[in-house]
Amino acid sequence: MRALTVAPAWVFVLLALSSVASAAIVEYTFNVANMTIPRLCNDQVITAVNGQFPGPTIQVREGDTLVVHVLNKSPYDVTLHWHGIFQLLSGWADGPEYVTQCPIRPNHNFTYRFKIDGQEGTLWWHAHVSFLRATVHGALFIHPRRNHPYAFPKPYKHVPILFAEWWKSNVMEFSDQTLTPSVAFMINGLPGDLYNCSQDQMFKLKVKPGKTYLLRIINTNFISQMFFKVANHRFIVVAIDAVYTTPYATNVVVIAPGQTTDVLLEANQPIGSYYMAASIYDTIQATLDNTTTRGLVVYKGSKLTTPLMPIMPLFNDTKTAHKFYTELTGLVDRPHWLQCPNEVDEKMFITFGLNLAPCPQNETCFGPKNTRVYSSMNNESFVLPRQKKMSMLEAFYYNESGIYTKDFPNRPPLEFDYTNPNNSLDFSLLFAPKSTKVKKLKFNSTVEIVLQNTALLDTENHPMHIHGFNFFVLAQGFGNFNATRDRIKFNLVNPQMRNTIAVPDAGWAVIRFKANNPGIWMIHCHVDNHMSWGMATAFEIENGPTPSSTLPPPPPDLPTC
């Protein structure tokens, strides 16, 4: 038997000191204000941070404490969400309005402060009030601790690639019932040369032959999933949602609103220019934006020639999208790897889809038979407690009643053929009550959720996001989830981990996570009108047994309702 080798104590002291020394306090100041920018032949007023669209890229290292001073000089209420950050014991900084904080009113300030632990890769930040996310957003890069390597060969350069949608008018003029389809897509705030008045508004990535670039791709869209390609080039996917993946070679990336994907792009083609392009993936199309935004990859030494254009998938190419989403796996020996728990304490089955409500008196509504369109989860249409005296997290901390109830159901109230389009207009299934219900979870319990899409009114692919946690994606499929048939498909060895999953239209996904972070954490669709329509709920996770697992008091400058 080999003798066990024990390192001297001083080795562990040096490692600990090195880790502490690598951490820092990183501060930013965000001025949120209106500005006018020219796009698509018009000057348009938008709300932005520090006069930038997209907003500033935040750069931190794992272990750093991030401090962001927000000065709201806009005419709107503002909160910021740090999409994908765990916020371990810092739930006060998570950001969703009326959930973890009341809004920052115009001409008021608030400072977000939180530590970034156990995460490396690409995340992003965005407004979490109304439709401000359309222009109030930016990238958040988490680099490894100093002198710690990436889980892939070090790239020559890091390049943010942010997709966004563009409207003809100020999105803050829309109501949740009148949000119209966008008229253009953007790459890093620029529409590209296929749109009017946009020949000089195209993102260009200049590359050196032989070098490898890390493209940090973020979908900030309200509505649309995207296909992304670069002509004559392949990608190696190395991370999703700031979690390392087994390297995956592909010539196309599919990405849903809220998701991030890190890919290595090697400049290994003949010197020239190559279009990068992004177009919609949508299973229903309807009146959605079916345009293409383009940028350029330009090799050093390239002459003026016509760039090559990639052949894009059809807008409804579900086969390509599903292949990409399901073939990604977790990198078992990566930094921050976690083993998927085998034992489950709490099982939930959550259906979600569109619903109807009676049209308010003296209003015109656009749903069938003059109804309003809403959304729900397990037939409960979530309502933010806007008229209450405090946020949901304050109610949790102070043990106040009357802000929310703890009776969100584990299963839908009625079982039916969820994905059968013949049920699409069954009025006996289409009306859901409005409520502010949450699901209470025990601290450190393991939760498994079947996320079941429905075909009510329409079939859509829904990007479902959980605040405060990554989750293991055990399996995904089409039709109604069947435990007998589908559990044998579970990947419990190296499942991908995400914070946002695109649940297939007329399909399902099964996720699992450890509820080890006390507080109030939303789960909701990251398509903005579905969020405002009620496709959301929250988890109330109780405090742990020790002070180090108990939510601390709120910061003194927390906005009041």
Side-chain angles (χ1 to χ4, degrees), residues 379-384 405 407-408 433-437 536:
N379 207 50
E380 296 287 342
S381 189
F382 185 78
V383 179
L384 290 170
T405 61
D407 52 346
F408 181 82
K434 292 292 196 179
S435 65
T436 309
K437 295 183 177 182

Side-chain angles (χ1 to χ4, degrees), residues 460-538:
E460 295 182 58
N461 185 305
H462 290 288
M464 303 303 293
H465 171 51
I466 298 184
H467 290 223
F469 302 92
N470 284 337
F471 48 77
F472 297 93
V473 180
L474 305 187
Q476 304 170 64
F478 296 95
N480 298 328
F481 176 77
N482 181 295
T484 303
R485 177 192 65 212
D486 294 324
R487 283 193 175 274
I488 60 174
K489 304 173 185 176
F490 283 12
N491 178 2
L492 300 175
V493 178
N494 62 344
Q496 59 178 279
M497 293 183 72
R498 308 208 72 128
N499 62 58
T500 306
I501 182 170
V503 182
D505 69 298
W508 53 267
V510 181
I511 65 173
R512 192 178 289 182
F513 70 96
K514 181 77 77 171
N516 58 3
N517 195 2
I520 300 290
W521 305 103
M522 292 203 75
I523 172 172
H524 65 88
C525 181
H526 222 265
V527 172
D528 266 52
N529 55 343
H530 288 322
M531 166 65 187
S532 61
W533 287 350
M535 194 179 290
T537 185

Side-chain angles (χ1 to χ4, degrees), residues 79-84 93-96 124-128 465 467 526:
T79 68
L80 294 184
H81 171 52
W82 316 93
H83 188 109
D94 191 47
W124 62 301
W125 57 267
H126 61 81
H128 215 291
H465 171 51
H467 290 223
H526 222 265

Side-chain angles (χ1 to χ4, degrees), residues 105-218:
R105 305 297 185 187
N107 299 313
H108 286 72
N109 309 325
F110 176 58
T111 295
Y112 292 92
R113 179 186 294 267
F114 51 91
K115 189 174 182 180
I116 297 172
D117 263 333
Q119 295 183 273
E120 297 175 15
T122 303
L123 295 173
W124 62 301
W125 57 267
H126 61 81
H128 215 291
V129 173
S130 185
F131 298 135
L132 280 179
R133 170 160 70 89
T135 52
V136 179
H137 61 248
L140 199 168
F141 295 172
I142 307 173
H143 302 282
R145 291 176 184 264
R146 200 172 303 278
N147 300 322
H148 287 221
Y150 295 95
F152 47 82
K154 186 177 181 179
Y156 176 71
K157 190 176 181 181
H158 300 251
V159 183
I161 302 288
L162 280 75
F163 302 137
E165 292 157 318
W166 192 258
W167 279 262
K168 284 184 178 179
S169 57
N170 187 338
V171 294
M172 297 304 288
E173 297 174 359
F174 293 115
S175 74
D176 63 3
Q177 293 284 312
T178 61
L179 179 64
T180 60
S182 62
V183 296
F185 295 114
M186 307 271 174
I187 297 177
N188 291 344
L190 301 171
D193 60 348
L194 291 177
Y195 298 99
N196 291 335
C197 307
S198 301
Q199 294 299 310
D200 60 345
Q201 293 187 349
M202 181 163 56
F203 172 69
K204 296 180 182 179
L205 172 59
K206 297 180 180 179
V207 300
K208 293 183 178 180
K211 298 295 186 182
T212 298
Y213 297 78
L214 181 66
L215 306 187
R216 296 175 175 264
I217 306 168
I218 304 169

Side-chain angles (χ1 to χ4, degrees), residues 32 71-78 103-109:
V32 183
L71 287 63
N72 185 10
K73 301 176 181 178
S74 81
Y76 311 110
D77 291 348
V78 169
I104 309 168
R105 305 297 185 187
N107 299 313
H108 286 72
N109 309 325

Side-chain angles (χ1 to χ4, degrees), residues 54-324:
T57 295
I58 291 175
Q59 307 257 7
V60 294
R61 293 185 180 275
E62 196 261 328
D64 287 349
T65 295
L66 179 60
V67 179
V68 182
H69 308 284
V70 178
L71 287 63
N72 185 10
K73 301 176 181 178
S74 81
Y76 311 110
D77 291 348
V78 169
T79 68
L80 294 184
H81 171 52
W82 316 93
H83 188 109
I85 294 291
F86 293 155
Q87 300 292 2
L88 187 62
L89 299 180
S90 57
W92 303 106
D94 191 47
E97 62 166 339
Y98 299 105
V99 178
T100 61
Q101 68 169 101
C102 298
I104 309 168
R105 305 297 185 187
N107 299 313
H108 286 72
N109 309 325
F110 176 58
T111 295
Y112 292 92
R113 179 186 294 267
F114 51 91
K115 189 174 182 180
I116 297 172
D117 263 333
Q119 295 183 273
E120 297 175 15
T122 303
L123 295 173
W124 62 301
W125 57 267
H126 61 81
H128 215 291
V129 173
S130 185
F131 298 135
L132 280 179
R133 170 160 70 89
T135 52
V136 179
H137 61 248
L140 199 168
F141 295 172
I142 307 173
H143 302 282
R145 291 176 184 264
R146 200 172 303 278
N147 300 322
H148 287 221
Y150 295 95
F152 47 82
K154 186 177 181 179
Y156 176 71
K157 190 176 181 181
H158 300 251
V159 183
I161 302 288
L162 280 75
F163 302 137
E165 292 157 318
W166 192 258
W167 279 262
K168 284 184 178 179
S169 57
N170 187 338
V171 294
M172 297 304 288
E173 297 174 359
F174 293 115
S175 74
D176 63 3
Q177 293 284 312
T178 61
L179 179 64
T180 60
S182 62
V183 296
F185 295 114
M186 307 271 174
I187 297 177
N188 291 344
L190 301 171
D193 60 348
L194 291 177
Y195 298 99
N196 291 335
C197 307
S198 301
Q199 294 299 310
D200 60 345
Q201 293 187 349
M202 181 163 56
F203 172 69
K204 296 180 182 179
L205 172 59
K206 297 180 180 179
V207 300
K208 293 183 178 180
K211 298 295 186 182
T212 298
Y213 297 78
L214 181 66
L215 306 187
R216 296 175 175 264
I217 306 168
I218 304 169
N219 188 344
T220 78
N221 288 347
F222 266 15
I223 299 171
S224 306
Q225 297 187 74
M226 304 299 287
F227 289 116
F228 177 65
K229 298 182 76 171
V230 175
N232 280 25
H233 290 72
R234 288 176 68 79
F235 306 121
I236 303 296
V237 179
V238 293
I240 52 174
D241 291 357
V243 181
Y244 290 120
T245 60
T246 306
Y248 178 74
T250 179
N251 66 357
V252 60
V253 166
V254 192
I255 187 167
Q259 292 182 333
T260 72
T261 304
D262 290 359
V263 302
L264 297 175
L265 174 74
E266 185 180 356
N268 58 5
Q269 294 300 303
I271 292 175
S273 296
Y274 301 83
Y275 278 117
M276 62 173 66
S279 60
I280 193 171
Y281 165 54
D282 182 72
T283 53
I284 57 172
Q285 190 187 31
T287 56
L288 295 180
D289 183 354
N290 200 17
T291 61
T292 298
T293 178
R294 298 200 299 199
L296 274 180
V297 174
V298 182
Y299 278 67
K300 184 177 181 180
S302 175
K303 306 298 181 184
L304 288 175
T305 57
T306 301
L308 293 176
M309 176 66 186
I311 298 174
M312 301 303 292
L314 295 176
F315 74 89
N316 58 354
D317 189 349
T318 292
K319 182 179 179 180
T320 293
H322 191 64
K323 180 177 186 293
F324 179 87

